[in-house]
mmCIF file of all heavy atoms in Angstrom:
data_model
loop_
_atom_site.group_PDB
_atom_site.id
_atom_site.type_symbol
_atom_site.label_atom_id
_atom_site.label_comp_id
_atom_site.label_asym_id
_atom_site.label_seq_id
_atom_site.Cartn_x
_atom_site.Cartn_y
_atom_site.Cartn_z
ATOM 1 N N TYR A 398 -18.560 39.260 2.063
ATOM 2 C CA TYR A 398 -18.937 38.084 2.863
ATOM 3 C C TYR A 398 -17.752 37.526 3.649
ATOM 4 O O TYR A 398 -17.929 36.739 4.580
ATOM 5 C CB TYR A 398 -19.487 37.003 1.926
ATOM 6 C CG TYR A 398 -20.335 35.939 2.582
ATOM 7 C CD1 TYR A 398 -21.701 36.137 2.779
ATOM 8 C CD2 TYR A 398 -19.779 34.732 2.993
ATOM 9 C CE1 TYR A 398 -22.488 35.159 3.356
ATOM 10 C CE2 TYR A 398 -20.566 33.744 3.570
ATOM 11 C CZ TYR A 398 -21.921 33.968 3.750
ATOM 12 O OH TYR A 398 -22.697 33.001 4.327
ATOM 13 N N LEU A 401 -17.462 37.023 7.444
ATOM 14 C CA LEU A 401 -18.086 35.907 8.152
ATOM 15 C C LEU A 401 -17.169 34.689 8.232
ATOM 16 O O LEU A 401 -17.581 33.647 8.755
ATOM 17 C CB LEU A 401 -19.403 35.524 7.463
ATOM 18 C CG LEU A 401 -20.474 36.623 7.436
ATOM 19 C CD1 LEU A 401 -21.723 36.131 6.736
ATOM 20 C CD2 LEU A 401 -20.801 37.093 8.847
ATOM 21 N N ARG A 421 -19.559 43.704 -3.458
ATOM 22 C CA ARG A 421 -20.802 43.731 -4.246
ATOM 23 C C ARG A 421 -20.873 44.983 -5.108
ATOM 24 O O ARG A 421 -21.219 44.930 -6.295
ATOM 25 C CB ARG A 421 -22.011 43.666 -3.303
ATOM 26 C CG ARG A 421 -22.217 42.315 -2.640
ATOM 27 C CD ARG A 421 -23.220 42.400 -1.510
ATOM 28 N NE ARG A 421 -22.710 43.219 -0.414
ATOM 29 C CZ ARG A 421 -23.404 43.596 0.644
ATOM 30 N NH1 ARG A 421 -24.683 43.248 0.744
ATOM 31 N NH2 ARG A 421 -22.867 44.324 1.601
ATOM 32 N N PHE A 443 -27.187 35.820 -5.862
ATOM 33 C CA PHE A 443 -26.193 35.213 -4.975
ATOM 34 C C PHE A 443 -26.326 33.700 -5.008
ATOM 35 O O PHE A 443 -27.398 33.150 -5.266
ATOM 36 C CB PHE A 443 -26.380 35.693 -3.532
ATOM 37 C CG PHE A 443 -26.071 37.150 -3.320
ATOM 38 C CD1 PHE A 443 -27.066 38.036 -2.919
ATOM 39 C CD2 PHE A 443 -24.793 37.654 -3.517
ATOM 40 C CE1 PHE A 443 -26.798 39.373 -2.715
ATOM 41 C CE2 PHE A 443 -24.507 38.992 -3.316
ATOM 42 C CZ PHE A 443 -25.511 39.861 -2.919
ATOM 43 N N SER A 446 -25.707 30.619 1.280
ATOM 44 C CA SER A 446 -26.512 31.212 2.349
ATOM 45 C C SER A 446 -26.340 32.728 2.355
ATOM 46 O O SER A 446 -25.215 33.225 2.443
ATOM 47 C CB SER A 446 -26.106 30.634 3.703
ATOM 48 O OG SER A 446 -26.286 29.233 3.731
ATOM 49 N N VAL A 447 -27.439 33.457 2.272
ATOM 50 C CA VAL A 447 -27.400 34.910 2.128
ATOM 51 C C VAL A 447 -27.509 35.579 3.493
ATOM 52 O O VAL A 447 -28.443 35.314 4.261
ATOM 53 C CB VAL A 447 -28.522 35.401 1.195
ATOM 54 C CG1 VAL A 447 -28.526 36.925 1.113
ATOM 55 C CG2 VAL A 447 -28.357 34.793 -0.196
ATOM 56 N N ASP A 448 -26.528 36.417 3.805
ATOM 57 C CA ASP A 448 -26.577 37.239 5.013
ATOM 58 C C ASP A 448 -27.337 38.520 4.690
ATOM 59 O O ASP A 448 -27.106 39.136 3.640
ATOM 60 C CB ASP A 448 -25.157 37.566 5.475
ATOM 61 C CG ASP A 448 -25.135 38.415 6.730
ATOM 62 O OD1 ASP A 448 -25.191 37.836 7.832
ATOM 63 O OD2 ASP A 448 -25.069 39.652 6.596
ATOM 64 N N PRO A 449 -28.254 38.969 5.566
ATOM 65 C CA PRO A 449 -29.054 40.159 5.247
ATOM 66 C C PRO A 449 -28.229 41.419 5.040
ATOM 67 O O PRO A 449 -28.663 42.337 4.336
ATOM 68 C CB PRO A 449 -29.990 40.294 6.453
ATOM 69 C CG PRO A 449 -29.364 39.478 7.542
ATOM 70 C CD PRO A 449 -28.630 38.379 6.857
ATOM 71 N N ASP A 450 -27.045 41.476 5.638
ATOM 72 C CA ASP A 450 -26.219 42.682 5.514
ATOM 73 C C ASP A 450 -25.084 42.529 4.512
ATOM 74 O O ASP A 450 -24.688 43.501 3.864
ATOM 75 C CB ASP A 450 -25.623 43.051 6.885
ATOM 76 C CG ASP A 450 -26.693 43.377 7.913
ATOM 77 O OD1 ASP A 450 -27.678 44.041 7.538
ATOM 78 O OD2 ASP A 450 -26.540 42.958 9.075
ATOM 79 N N LEU A 451 -24.566 41.313 4.354
ATOM 80 C CA LEU A 451 -23.362 41.115 3.547
ATOM 81 C C LEU A 451 -23.606 40.375 2.244
ATOM 82 O O LEU A 451 -22.696 40.218 1.439
ATOM 83 C CB LEU A 451 -22.317 40.349 4.372
ATOM 84 C CG LEU A 451 -21.887 41.025 5.676
ATOM 85 C CD1 LEU A 451 -20.948 40.123 6.463
ATOM 86 C CD2 LEU A 451 -21.222 42.368 5.397
ATOM 87 N N GLY A 452 -24.829 39.898 2.009
ATOM 88 C CA GLY A 452 -25.116 39.158 0.786
ATOM 89 C C GLY A 452 -24.671 37.717 0.893
ATOM 90 O O GLY A 452 -24.527 37.165 1.986
ATOM 91 N N GLY A 453 -24.476 37.073 -0.264
ATOM 92 C CA GLY A 453 -24.085 35.669 -0.302
ATOM 93 C C GLY A 453 -22.598 35.508 -0.538
ATOM 94 O O GLY A 453 -21.915 36.454 -0.951
#
Side-chain angles (χ1 to χ4, degrees):
Y398 200 86
L401 298 180
R421 289 168 294 172
F443 292 116
S446 300
V447 177
D448 180 86
D450 298 320
L451 301 175

